Amino acid sequence: MAFQNEIEELERRRARALAMGSAKRLEERKAQGILNARERVAHLSDDGSFSEWGQLAVSIRPEDEARSAGDGYVSGTASVDGRPVVVHAADFTTLGASTSAIGDKKFHHAKANAAKNGVPLVLLNECAGSRIPDIMGGQGLHRAGEHSELWRDRSSPWAAAVLGLTYGDGSFYASMSDFVVMRKGAVLAVSSEHVTSVALAEAADPREFGGWEVQTQVTGVVDRAVDTDEEAIDLIKRFLSYMPSHGQELPPRIAPGAPGGDQMRLLDLLPESPKRTYDVKRLLEVIFDAGTLFPLKERFAPVAFTGLARLAGETVGVIAINPQHKGGALDADACDKVVSFIVLCDSFNIPLITFADTPGFLVGAAGERQKMPGKIMNYLQALGAATVPKLSVIMRKSYGQAHLNMGAGYCDEMAAWFTAEVSLMGRQPAMNVLHRLKPGQTPERYAELEAELTRDTSAYALANAFMAQTVIAPYETRDWLIRMRALHTRRPSGGIGLRRLATWPTTY
Amino acid sequence: MKKVEPMSKTSAISEVSGSVWQVLVAVGDSVEEHQELMVIESMKMEIPVLAPKAGRVSEVLVQPADPVAADQIVAWIE
């Protein structure tokens, strides 16, 4: 064969790269049921669709050449459920997938190609942190910033999995992403245990502060936690199925699905007593297409449900107050969560649907220390700046400033269920604030004064003034949403919004 | 260096301040994740305390009419 030596040399180099890091570490993973970088990419990609770049890249330091296959990353383009993506997967068995000069160039290539071609970027993360000594010194450190790789404008969606020890850049990539899933047992933190203990003489274990419980419940940086690599990658595929490939197109539409149940069931799921709480997810599952509700940040600030769903086959973004938690009172974390979700929807032309049942924003010292006025206004700014269609449903209570944040004056259409109740606050608290009176104290005087400040708080008060566009029964909600969505498609722009929130900060 | 042990018991907390209205479980009961353990009356609402995980109720720390603070531990699940 002609060029036999050249062909053999190419194959030899390729085989070396495909072998990744130490055989021992690869075996250890296998024994633990943890996939390696190439198995992860294969699980993500449609069969045979992965084309790699940077396979033959190695460390910038000649002495590391033999042990730096791909310089720690498996990167390239593939198709996922028939649609192109760029994937950048950490190979922890190669120098801990630590941040390095050539590995950085590969990430820049991945990020830039995803952006300019309008395809999602999938990040399968692990990272030991910055590689030492590569990143040491003025030039070593500065080189890491030369491609502005830690900046993004949400031109296309990013989805990240945290699949092992993920420090430094690995943690930054994940926290910049639109969707983050974590394997239980993985760690997401800026610094490793060793760096933390050396720098701060602090003995905390990152498994504690960077584990899935903290990242899903306390910080909300991670959307979902799962048990295996395969489940994590499957959730990324599911997330991408709702998303457009980039911000200048509409999300993919599928054939309209059947509703998640008989709409009359809503009358059983909504308690007749306004004092009783309920799990709003069970109502949403009935209203939207069967099996399509996809919660984001579900364990973080659960009083605000945020998630994607399909309505007659179309992707929609759902913000719903869940009175099962805190009686529906919105706190600072809930504001942050809602803002991040509005940013996602506005960036990718996903219409927003809000469902209100809230006694208002949670008042008190704890909230004030968390900048509550600023959080509330940040949320309102996001809602106001978002140019995607916005439909609002008032289920039960919609009190105080929260009524505005749930869409009053900011939405395209508002429907009030016949159970809606809208006011600044309840009558009894109002009596207490204004007259310092509680029921039972001077009953006659109380009744007289109460009558003075009683206003119509019903759904019909809004409908009479054409503040709500309609009053509906719960079982009419799905039909109303489908009809209103049919109008609110923003034909002149083809449904593409101004995407003003696309450059808002990541991680709120 | 401190080692992290898997936590054998998990606290159930009241997310709101208010007063205990009903306690729905007793020590020794098996519960599902997200099962209602008790109901707190707050903001004129009946707000449930949900089991943080499936397990067995090992301690109930409050009884009806007790005041509770936000984030107070009201029961332990093993």
Side-chain angles (χ1 to χ4, degrees):
Chain A
M1 195 195 299
F3 296 108
Q4 188 158 355
N5 290 343
E6 287 83 351
I7 292 168
E8 279 172 8
E9 174 65 5
L10 178 60
E11 292 306 328
R12 188 190 66 77
R13 285 174 183 256
R14 284 181 177 169
R16 168 67 199 94
L18 292 173
M20 295 179 284
S22 84
K24 181 167 164 279
R25 290 174 101 173
L26 287 161
E27 272 310 311
E28 282 168 4
R29 299 202 140 214
K30 197 169 192 144
Q32 292 169 48
I34 297 171
L35 300 184
N36 66 45
R38 293 191 179 277
E39 289 165 341
R40 287 171 183 165
V41 170
H43 190 82
L44 173 78
S45 310
D46 296 344
D47 281 349
S49 68
F50 179 57
S51 295
E52 188 170 359
W53 52 57
Q55 189 185 60
L56 302 182
V58 289
S59 168
I60 199 170
R61 301 174 72 232
E63 56 271 50
D64 281 340
E65 182 179 334
R67 59 177 192 138
S68 55
D71 212 16
Y73 282 85
V74 175
S75 193
T77 179
S79 70
V80 171
D81 296 330
R83 300 161 71 202
V85 304
V86 167
V87 54
H88 190 68
D91 167 21
F92 201 78
T93 68
T94 297
L95 298 173
S98 48
T99 301
S100 63
I102 305 301
D104 256 11
K105 283 184 77 176
K106 286 176 66 173
F107 178 62
H108 174 70
H109 192 77
K111 170 179 175 272
N113 277 336
K116 72 187 170 201
N117 295 302
V119 302
L121 178 60
V122 177
L123 299 161
L124 304 177
N125 287 325
E126 289 182 79
C127 182
S130 291
R131 195 179 300 169
I132 300 172
D134 304 43
I135 307 291
M136 295 294 282
Q139 290 184 7
L141 178 64
H142 194 99
R143 190 180 290 122
E146 282 193 317
H147 298 301
S148 317
E149 78 219 4
L150 297 178
W151 184 84
R152 71 174 288 225
D153 61 1
R154 294 191 184 83
S155 50
S156 70
W158 285 20
V162 176
L163 300 173
L165 300 178
T166 303
Y167 302 124
D169 275 356
S171 73
F172 300 149
Y173 301 162
S175 64
M176 291 163 70
S177 297
D178 300 301
F179 175 73
V180 189
V181 57
M182 187 165 181
R183 181 168 54 70
K184 292 175 185 175
V187 176
L188 171 66
V190 173
S191 288
S192 69
E193 176 178 333
H194 194 60
V195 171
T196 311
S197 63
V198 169
L200 300 174
E202 187 181 286
D205 187 332
R207 281 173 189 77
E208 237 170 282
F209 60 75
W212 68 273
E213 289 104 330
V214 169
Q215 298 295 7
T216 56
Q217 286 174 39
V218 180
T219 71
V221 166
V222 171
D223 291 286
R224 305 276 281 260
V226 295
D227 293 317
T228 65
D229 287 1
E230 288 90 341
E231 286 172 274
I233 293 166
D234 289 343
L235 273 187
I236 284 182
K237 289 170 145 179
R238 174 116 196 260
F239 171 73
L240 292 177
S241 75
Y242 292 92
M243 302 299 291
S245 289
H246 58 83
Q248 300 301 324
E249 69 176 30
L250 297 178
R253 187 172 193 158
I254 62 170
D262 180 351
Q263 299 300 294
M264 298 308 283
R265 271 194 62 215
L266 294 168
L267 297 182
D268 300 325
L269 294 170
L270 184 74
E272 272 199 81
S273 162
K275 293 175 84 174
R276 289 293 297 168
T277 65
Y278 55 90
D279 184 357
V280 79
K281 286 196 300 292
R282 299 185 61 198
L283 280 70
L284 299 173
E285 279 163 358
V286 170
I287 292 170
F288 293 99
D289 294 2
T292 65
L293 201 64
F294 187 75
L296 296 172
K297 304 194 196 304
E298 189 173 16
R299 300 173 77 100
F300 176 66
V303 56
F305 171 91
T306 58
L308 300 168
R310 289 191 181 275
L311 177 68
E314 260 192 315
T315 300
V316 293
V318 180
I319 299 169
I321 305 305
N322 196 348
Q324 194 177 48
H325 295 280
K326 301 193 176 188
L330 292 159
D331 57 11
D333 284 348
C335 292
D336 286 343
K337 175 177 175 175
V338 170
V339 168
S340 85
F341 186 70
I342 296 173
V343 166
L344 174 73
C345 292
D346 188 58
S347 299
F348 296 109
N349 311 306
I350 298 170
L352 280 166
I353 303 176
T354 60
F355 291 85
D357 187 355
T358 174
F361 289 101
L362 203 60
V363 294
E368 302 303 339
R369 275 197 289 268
Q370 289 177 284
K371 304 179 278 198
M372 206 57 200
K375 299 283 184 187
I376 296 169
M377 285 301 105
N378 207 32
Y379 170 175
L380 202 64
Q381 285 295 303
L383 192 68
T387 54
V388 291
K390 289 169 264 190
L391 305 176
S392 289
V393 177
I394 308 298
M395 299 184 293
R396 296 200 309 190
K397 283 198 281 298
S398 190
Y399 274 11
Q401 173 64 36
H403 181 58
L404 279 58
N405 286 62
M406 291 313 295
Y410 293 81
C411 64
D412 295 294
E413 306 283 345
M414 178 175 279
W417 285 0
F418 50 53
T419 43
E421 193 188 322
V422 181
S423 189
L424 175 62
M425 61 176 80
R427 273 212 307 272
Q428 285 186 11
M431 283 292 287
N432 202 344
V433 170
L434 187 61
H435 300 300
R436 314 279 154 161
L437 281 178
K438 290 182 179 171
Q441 292 173 289
T442 58
E444 275 176 36
R445 180 75 183 132
Y446 189 94
E448 192 181 311
L449 290 169
E450 191 179 27
E452 273 177 29
L453 60 83
T454 296
R455 298 282 186 280
D456 187 352
T457 60
S458 73
Y460 304 107
L462 291 184
N464 288 351
F466 194 52
M467 289 169 168
Q469 276 63 53
T470 184
V471 176
I472 57 175
Y475 50 79
E476 296 170 321
T477 307
R478 177 177 166 90
D479 183 58
W480 179 78
L481 289 171
I482 291 171
R483 287 165 189 268
M484 288 306 114
R485 173 58 184 150
L487 169 65
H488 291 281
T489 52
R490 308 291 189 264
R491 285 166 185 75
S493 67
I496 308 303
L498 299 179
R499 305 179 67 249
R500 286 192 288 229
L501 302 184
T503 56
W504 271 34
T506 53
T507 319
Y508 35 85
Chain B
M1 192 64 58
K2 187 179 159 198
K3 293 283 177 228
V4 182
E5 298 296 336
M7 278 189 291
S8 63
K9 64 177 194 175
T10 305
S11 59
I13 61 152
S14 173
E15 294 182 319
V16 291
S17 56
S19 64
V20 179
W21 183 52
Q22 285 178 317
V23 177
L24 306 168
V25 293
V27 170
D29 286 1
S30 292
V31 293
E32 298 294 314
E33 188 179 5
H34 297 151
Q35 182 177 330
E36 288 193 16
L37 302 177
M38 56 187 77
V39 181
I40 308 296
E41 193 165 24
S42 174
M43 297 178 288
K44 296 172 68 187
M45 297 283 289
E46 296 157 10
I47 298 168
V49 175
L50 305 178
K53 65 172 186 185
R56 197 183 62 86
V57 179
S58 62
E59 264 183 283
V60 175
L61 304 167
V62 293
Q63 52 188 10
D66 282 357
V68 292
D71 298 328
Q72 182 178 328
I73 296 171
V74 291
W76 288 97
I77 309 296
E78 277 187 1

